[in-house]
Amino acid sequence: MRGSRIRRALLLPLVASLIAPLPALADAPPVFRDPAAPLSARLGDLISRLTLDEKISLLHQYQPAIPRLGIAKFKTGTEALHGVGWSTDNDHNGAVVFADGTVFPQALGLASTWDPALIKQVGAAVGQEARGFNARNPGLWSLNLWAPVVNLLRDPRWGRNEEGYSEDPYLTSRVATAYGRGMQGDDPRYLQAAPTLKHYLAYNNEVDRTTTSSSVPPKILHDYDEQAFGPTLRAGAANALMPSYNLVNGRPATVSPDLNAVVRTWAPQDVAVVSDAGAPWNLVDSEKYYPTKPAAAAAMIKAGVDSFTVDDTNGSITTTAVKSALTQGLLTVADIENADRHLLSLRFRLGEFDPPGRNPYANITPSVINSPEHRALARKSAAEQMVLLRNDKNALPLDAAKNKKVAVVGPLADTLYEDWYGGTMQYKVTPLQGIKERLGAGGTVASSEGVDRIALKDPATGKYLTASTDPAGAKLAASGTGAGNAEAFDVFDWGAGKLTLRTAANGKYLSYVGGALVNNAAQPNGWFVQQQLKLNSQPDGTYVLEYAGNEVGQPWFGPNRFAVVGADGALTIGAADVAHATKFSREVLHSGVDAAVAAARGADTAVVVVGSMPFINGREDNDRTGTELAPAQKALVEAVQKANPHTVVVVENSYPTSGWDAQSAPGLLWTTHAGQETGHALADVLFGDHNPGGRLTQTWYRSDAELPGILDYDISRTGMTYQYYRGKPLYPFGYGLSYTSFRYGGVRVDRPVDDAAGTVEVSVDVTNTGDRAGSDVVQLYSSARDSRAQQPVRQLRAFEKVTLSPKQTKTVRLRVPVADLAFWDVTRGKSVVETGRYDFSVGHSATDIAQSVGVFVQGEHIPARDLGAKTEAQNFDDYRGVTLTDTAKDAGTSVAATAGGWLAFKGVQLDPGARTFIASASKSGSGTARITVRLDDPVRGRVLGTVEVASTGDKYTFTKIGAELARAGGRHDVYLQFDAPVTLSWFQLTR
């Protein structure tokens, strides 16, 4: 017995220890907090812990905190186009807060450097500053950055031209990849910041942008528009994507099936899809594509959108719609979890759920913001992006020892403007300041803005419009008895009849405020730019003052646009027409042209700085009507050049500008709005401290008459961009001069024959033939000698920026994977490399080709078309009077034809036994439409058969139709001719 007691006494503690909880297991962190666990396991674990309400809450831009899991709130979106720009404040109902970081050159300017290594440095600086801002206020400054913009700049009138990079997809992707990788950082696991590609897809107009549809044939869609996005995502240079506002081929981009089916297959890692601001409910409101918000929300989530940017900080409207969609069976919980997985994957890669010390970017502090290193980088990139367009008789560079007296004149001579997607510059070096600093005490600089100073008098009372001297400004009134300082207005002409008036009284611009004009604006700004005015001349020599802000066309604005002076002298925008407006006499107190000419006449050199105001001359929601310089600025350039033959013109804007072939100034330099260091960079270039190496990324056309309708997206038909333009441009794509010269020689190819899996290597010897060091951009283009399809005249395939000392020669090797020569074959609906001979051309620009070499590529022979198989109508070879539209709301593309329209399907091998035409068509209108099948000509060709389409009552209700065909064989072009509006999905010529 005693032995048993002893054994029990020894065993009981052991048993107790075995059944007690293990401390290590009890304290183990959840899997989603374990950085050693695979990302998929961490995502699965976190999602499994969320309640349904929590899962739904993550779908809004402002994701709330989940305290029980220790998860902080998160917001998608900080604008970072050329520096950290602005963000929206969670604590103030989404109010816009502008950043005070480094402002680099506009995106178009960064691309004009043609220097991916430099652009990556800029991207890295922006990513660092994003971390710095996030450390300052994580609730305001998201690490999901909404940049870069990769929409192709096919039309220079697009208001958002300043946001993009190029009209060429290859160059655009190279630049975007560099900028994105810079923002991301080089750590293999963690992201410094998460860039978002904007805006998918075919988006180049602001006119009715939420309701217009970009009709883009498959070849242009696949070979042009997609090629800016696909390679950038394949390179892993973006972690998110934003669909565009517009419709593409009849379907809103926010519900494009491409988001899941195509875009996500391009990227090596998970990609989150975030909506543009307000876009979700456009589906219900302006687009009327879905009847209710639950239906719209369900369609977006199923298509691939993960985050709803809408209703400012109020996520309840989104969550209510999503819950209703669940109740109605339009969505499943799995759909919501899938969206959450994309969003949370981004947050995991930013290191949010990892222990301190793991993420190398988590220690970045606000001290990086606008650091000396970043300021130096801003100056360098501003200089690198300037493009020398003309340099007759070596007008540039200026010699500081000989050009000691310089006149710097023009409306942009002593100012730097901010833009909608840039931050607030903490300091501004203007062109005048930069040139003064460069000349130093030994130089003399005269200056004038070159704008008229005027007074406006009411002839009926003899009183002048008078502005307040209060720094905050006040309402304008007709109270002055003379034209003194308080009655003086400086007139800035921005073209299209629009101008701004700056008051001499306090140096502020007039703004529309509550029906009055108030002198309160430091520069034109705001979503509705309310500093825009017009002075309209009248037959009797008087003028009326018209308010011309962006909102005047909105239905809620009201009819009144014209200024009226009341009996008490108060001025209001109170008349709907000229007849009821107050007429003013316009007295010129000081001639801007005279002042500029006086400054220029005695100078060794005159520098005229003209250009655009970024909030007025095109911007988001505001396309340009033309590309010429404003009339007053044009007159200023002509007068100064006449007064001083040694005149250099600096054009500071963000789009190609026409009309320079009519100007005779010997020096012409182009720059975008290049940020805080513009003046230093400009002086560096003008005085030769920096040899300009920028190159144009768009074609500069001679006049607006060469431009088609801005809504025509088929560049192969319109002849837009260097790829299809056959005219003589003012300045071609890739163009730019240097203070030295470069010669290309010995162009050779590594092999004259290659296959689709190979790589073409073209070598060229580049020699600096001048007497100063400089940089050149060696450009390689390809063209197909023979092809079944219409191909670009020339297409950029590779480039390298090379810097050479005087007389130095360097061999540049440019490599092109043969697979890059593939194009979309509409006959079979796939991308192919076609067998044939290709020319590879090395040049200084798209039109300045030094030498070409031929390569024979063994690829595919495209067979004759077979219309015996079901053929999608959209896969035509040619067309007239048709657009592309959606077959159904979730998928498919059809052809919407008008009366007299036709489709061509070329090179068809007809089956003599094919005696039946069958098709799927719809007709929403009443009556019938006839589709006539013809051979070889759309009007006079032999008729094989005709089929009638009766009304189906709805464009989405398709019916199968058929008709007998006459016997025909051999090789022919087949045309489908339409005599009335009808929608055709597919057709077939069958036995």
Side-chain angles (χ1 to χ4, degrees):
M1 291 291 294
R2 185 179 178 185
S4 296
R5 290 193 194 99
I6 293 172
R7 284 194 297 271
R8 282 199 299 272
L10 293 172
L11 288 172
L12 282 174
L14 177 63
V15 172
S17 68
L18 290 174
I19 63 175
L22 295 174
L25 292 177
D27 296 336
V31 173
F32 81 88
R33 293 284 185 186
D34 181 5
L39 178 58
S40 59
R42 300 178 73 185
L43 282 165
D45 177 67
L46 177 52
I47 290 171
S48 72
R49 296 172 185 271
L50 300 175
T51 66
L52 180 58
D53 281 349
E54 289 167 345
K55 293 172 183 175
I56 294 172
S57 74
L58 297 180
L59 298 177
H60 191 259
Q61 178 190 20
Y62 288 89
Q63 300 175 16
I66 304 175
R68 68 184 186 85
L69 295 176
I71 296 175
K73 61 185 179 181
F74 183 86
K75 177 177 75 76
T76 59
T78 289
E79 301 293 352
L81 192 61
H82 54 111
V84 179
W86 53 265
S87 190
T88 49
D89 195 345
N90 195 12
D91 296 327
H92 294 87
N93 197 33
V96 171
V97 178
F98 284 88
D100 57 355
T102 309
V103 178
F104 294 95
Q106 290 177 310
L108 181 64
L110 294 176
S112 299
T113 69
W114 290 64
D115 190 342
L118 176 64
I119 294 165
K120 184 179 180 183
Q121 291 178 44
V122 174
V126 175
Q128 290 169 19
E129 294 202 6
R131 278 281 175 179
F133 279 108
N134 180 260
R136 181 190 289 176
N137 186 341
L140 171 61
W141 301 105
S142 172
L143 291 173
N144 169 222
L145 305 183
W146 283 359
V149 170
V150 296
N151 298 104
L152 296 170
L153 306 182
R154 64 171 183 93
D155 194 308
R157 294 166 299 186
W158 185 35
R160 304 184 76 167
N161 200 88
E162 67 189 40
E163 298 180 39
Y165 293 131
S166 174
E167 66 185 32
D168 180 75
Y170 173 76
L171 177 58
T172 293
S173 179
R174 287 281 305 273
V175 172
T177 297
Y179 192 65
R181 282 177 169 167
M183 289 192 288
Q184 289 173 325
D186 294 323
D187 189 86
R189 178 187 180 108
Y190 293 101
L191 293 171
Q192 179 172 247
T196 302
L197 292 189
K198 297 162 63 174
H199 314 78
Y200 189 87
L201 184 71
Y203 166 42
N204 285 131
N205 65 278
E206 300 304 292
V207 178
D208 302 323
R209 61 181 177 169
T210 70
T211 56
T212 54
S213 178
S214 305
S215 185
V216 193
K219 187 176 184 304
I220 301 300
L221 191 77
H222 292 293
D223 292 349
Y224 186 68
D225 289 285
E226 286 184 354
Q227 292 308 309
F229 290 87
T232 309
L233 287 167
R234 290 188 189 100
N239 306 96
L241 176 121
M242 179 184 289
S244 51
Y245 281 119
N246 57 297
L247 294 81
V248 180
N249 294 340
R251 181 178 297 105
T254 45
V255 290
S256 170
D258 285 0
L259 300 177
N260 273 330
V262 178
V263 171
R264 286 195 161 108
T265 67
W266 287 335
Q269 77 285 325
D270 210 351
V271 171
V273 177
V274 300
S275 86
D276 210 335
W281 307 147
N282 288 340
L283 289 164
V284 180
D285 299 329
S286 61
E287 293 164 346
K288 304 188 186 314
Y289 203 72
Y290 289 99
T292 66
K293 289 179 179 177
M300 287 178 64
I301 292 169
K302 282 185 171 294
V305 175
D306 310 310
S307 180
F308 287 54
T309 312
V310 71
D311 302 314
D312 296 321
T313 60
N314 181 8
S316 66
I317 299 172
T318 295
T319 57
T320 298
V322 172
K323 289 176 183 178
S324 179
L326 278 171
T327 301
Q328 297 175 46
L330 303 175
L331 275 178
T332 66
V333 173
D335 292 327
I336 294 167
E337 291 177 344
N338 193 43
D340 286 347
R341 187 170 285 105
H342 299 309
L343 292 166
L344 289 169
S345 176
L346 186 151
R347 295 175 67 173
F348 271 106
R349 293 199 65 200
L350 287 168
E352 180 179 340
F353 305 118
D354 285 7
R358 291 272 184 165
N359 183 351
Y361 304 116
N363 295 325
I364 295 176
T365 69
S367 64
V368 301
I369 297 171
N370 213 3
S371 65
E373 294 80 10
H374 293 173
R375 294 182 182 193
L377 184 60
R379 180 171 181 167
K380 179 180 180 181
S381 57
E384 291 280 358
Q385 56 92 48
M386 293 183 183
V387 182
L388 182 61
L389 298 176
R390 182 190 299 164
N391 197 21
D392 297 345
K393 299 179 181 178
N394 295 320
L396 291 171
L398 304 180
D399 185 340
K402 297 178 180 179
N403 292 271
K404 294 184 177 181
K405 295 179 64 177
V406 177
V408 184
V409 301
L412 280 80
D414 196 26
T415 188
L416 295 183
Y417 287 122
E418 291 160 349
D419 60 46
W420 180 248
Y421 280 103
T424 300
M425 288 181 264
Q426 295 307 290
Y427 67 91
K428 299 178 180 181
V429 183
T430 69
L432 176 62
Q433 291 168 341
I435 292 170
K436 278 185 175 180
E437 181 180 320
R438 177 61 178 81
L439 285 176
T444 301
V445 179
S447 66
S448 167
E449 289 180 303
V451 300
D452 287 344
R453 175 164 289 188
I454 67 169
L456 297 173
K457 183 172 70 173
D458 181 357
T461 64
K463 296 293 182 69
Y464 289 86
L465 290 187
T466 304
S468 170
T469 58
D470 188 321
K475 294 179 181 179
L476 216 60
S479 59
T481 56
N485 200 58
E487 289 73 34
F489 301 90
D490 297 325
V491 184
F492 291 82
D493 178 16
W494 301 113
K498 293 185 177 182
L499 52 85
T500 53
L501 294 179
R502 186 183 63 198
T503 59
N506 69 352
K508 299 290 181 64
Y509 290 87
L510 293 181
S511 301
Y512 176 82
V513 179
L517 292 179
V518 178
N519 59 327
N520 65 350
Q523 75 154 58
N525 62 82
W527 181 253
F528 295 119
V529 185
Q530 297 180 311
Q531 293 77 35
Q532 299 179 90
L533 301 166
K534 293 182 178 181
L535 271 174
N536 301 321
S537 61
Q538 302 304 302
D540 63 358
T542 62
Y543 292 79
V544 293
L545 185 59
E546 179 185 356
Y547 174 61
N550 299 68
E551 77 274 36
V552 295
Q554 299 293 328
W556 46 262
F557 182 76
N560 293 340
R561 300 184 186 183
F562 295 92
V564 176
V565 176
D568 60 353
L571 183 138
T572 61
I573 303 299
D577 53 40
V578 170
H580 295 88
T582 297
K583 293 183 178 181
F584 298 96
S585 61
R586 181 182 185 272
E587 299 179 8
V588 177
L589 308 179
H590 173 90
S591 168
V593 167
D594 289 350
V597 166
R601 186 170 285 128
D604 299 320
T605 295
V607 178
V608 188
V609 189
V610 294
S612 71
M613 201 288 133
F615 277 81
I616 293 176
N617 295 111
R619 194 211 66 190
E620 182 175 359
D621 205 40
N622 182 24
D623 287 322
R624 277 175 290 281
T625 56
T627 61
E628 287 200 358
L629 200 64
Q633 295 188 33
K634 183 178 179 182
L636 175 69
V637 170
E638 292 172 347
V640 172
Q641 197 276 328
K642 185 177 180 181
N644 188 331
H646 199 268
T647 292
V648 174
V649 180
V650 177
V651 185
E652 185 178 346
N653 64 15
S654 311
Y655 49 90
T657 312
S658 60
W660 291 107
D661 49 347
Q663 298 287 337
S664 58
L668 182 61
L669 185 71
W670 176 74
T671 175
T672 63
H673 294 277
Q676 61 200 40
E677 287 285 345
T678 298
H680 280 149
L682 180 60
D684 290 341
V685 171
L686 291 177
F687 288 92
D689 301 319
H690 178 83
N691 191 343
R695 299 292 185 267
L696 298 179
T697 67
Q698 288 179 270
T699 302
W700 284 41
Y701 301 96
R702 290 186 175 274
S703 76
D704 294 335
E706 296 185 275
L707 305 178
I710 196 171
L711 298 180
D712 196 334
Y713 278 73
D714 185 355
I715 60 172
S716 66
R717 295 269 292 191
T718 63
M720 292 290 283
T721 82
Y722 81 94
Q723 290 193 9
Y724 292 97
Y725 180 64
R726 293 185 178 274
K728 183 178 180 181
L730 178 62
Y731 295 112
F733 172 85
Y735 175 85
L737 301 176
S738 170
Y739 295 153
T740 188
S741 55
F742 299 92
R743 183 182 66 240
Y744 296 168
V747 177
R748 52 206 179 273
V749 66
D750 63 336
R751 62 186 71 180
V753 179
D754 217 327
D755 58 34
T759 298
V760 175
E761 181 179 287
V762 177
S763 300
V764 57
D765 298 328
V766 183
T767 302
N768 180 350
T769 58
D771 57 3
R772 67 168 64 219
S775 298
D776 190 30
V777 179
V778 185
Q779 302 162 43
L780 179 65
Y781 297 87
S782 76
S783 54
R785 291 193 187 179
D786 299 295
S787 177
R788 185 216 172 268
Q790 180 190 11
Q791 299 291 2
V793 176
R794 191 167 283 121
Q795 191 166 354
L796 182 70
R797 295 299 185 182
F799 66 88
E800 183 175 328
K801 193 166 191 176
V802 55
T803 300
L804 300 175
S805 302
K807 313 308 178 186
Q808 181 185 1
T809 297
K810 180 179 179 180
T811 298
V812 175
R813 293 178 174 83
L814 300 168
R815 296 173 179 84
V816 182
V818 175
D820 287 358
L821 302 177
F823 70 92
W824 191 258
D825 173 23
V826 294
T827 70
R828 294 173 294 168
K830 68 174 186 176
S831 191
V832 301
V833 175
E834 194 176 22
T835 294
R837 194 160 185 83
Y838 295 80
D839 289 324
F840 288 87
S841 305
V842 176
H844 302 279
S845 74
T847 62
D848 185 2
I849 300 301
Q851 192 176 336
S852 299
V853 291
V855 174
F856 184 83
V857 171
Q858 187 62 53
E860 292 186 50
H861 288 284
I862 298 175
R865 261 197 189 267
D866 177 14
L867 298 184
K870 185 182 289 186
T871 300
E872 291 186 34
Q874 67 164 326
N875 287 327
F876 48 73
D877 289 295
D878 200 359
Y879 63 98
R880 188 182 73 183
V882 307
T883 57
L884 294 169
T885 189
D886 50 334
T887 305
K889 291 190 175 182
D890 60 343
T893 299
S894 295
V895 169
T898 59
W902 50 260
L903 300 176
F905 299 85
K906 297 188 175 182
V908 178
Q909 185 64 47
L910 292 175
D911 177 1
R915 302 297 300 276
T916 304
F917 173 83
I918 59 173
S920 177
S922 71
K923 191 176 191 310
S924 58
S926 59
T928 60
R930 289 189 300 175
I931 304 175
T932 301
V933 183
R934 292 180 179 269
L935 296 185
D936 302 322
D937 188 272
V939 178
R940 295 178 297 277
R942 177 191 171 194
V943 175
L944 293 187
T946 300
V947 63
E948 290 192 346
V949 185
S951 175
T952 61
D954 180 79
K955 68 171 285 188
Y956 298 117
T957 302
F958 284 81
T959 185
K960 191 174 181 180
I961 54 175
E964 290 188 7
L965 295 175
R967 183 183 296 276
R971 189 89 170 244
H972 293 275
D973 296 339
V974 175
Y975 289 84
L976 304 183
Q977 183 190 36
F978 309 95
D979 75 341
V982 66
T983 300
L984 181 65
S985 175
W986 58 265
F987 71 97
Q988 188 174 6
L989 309 184
T990 187
R991 289 174 177 265

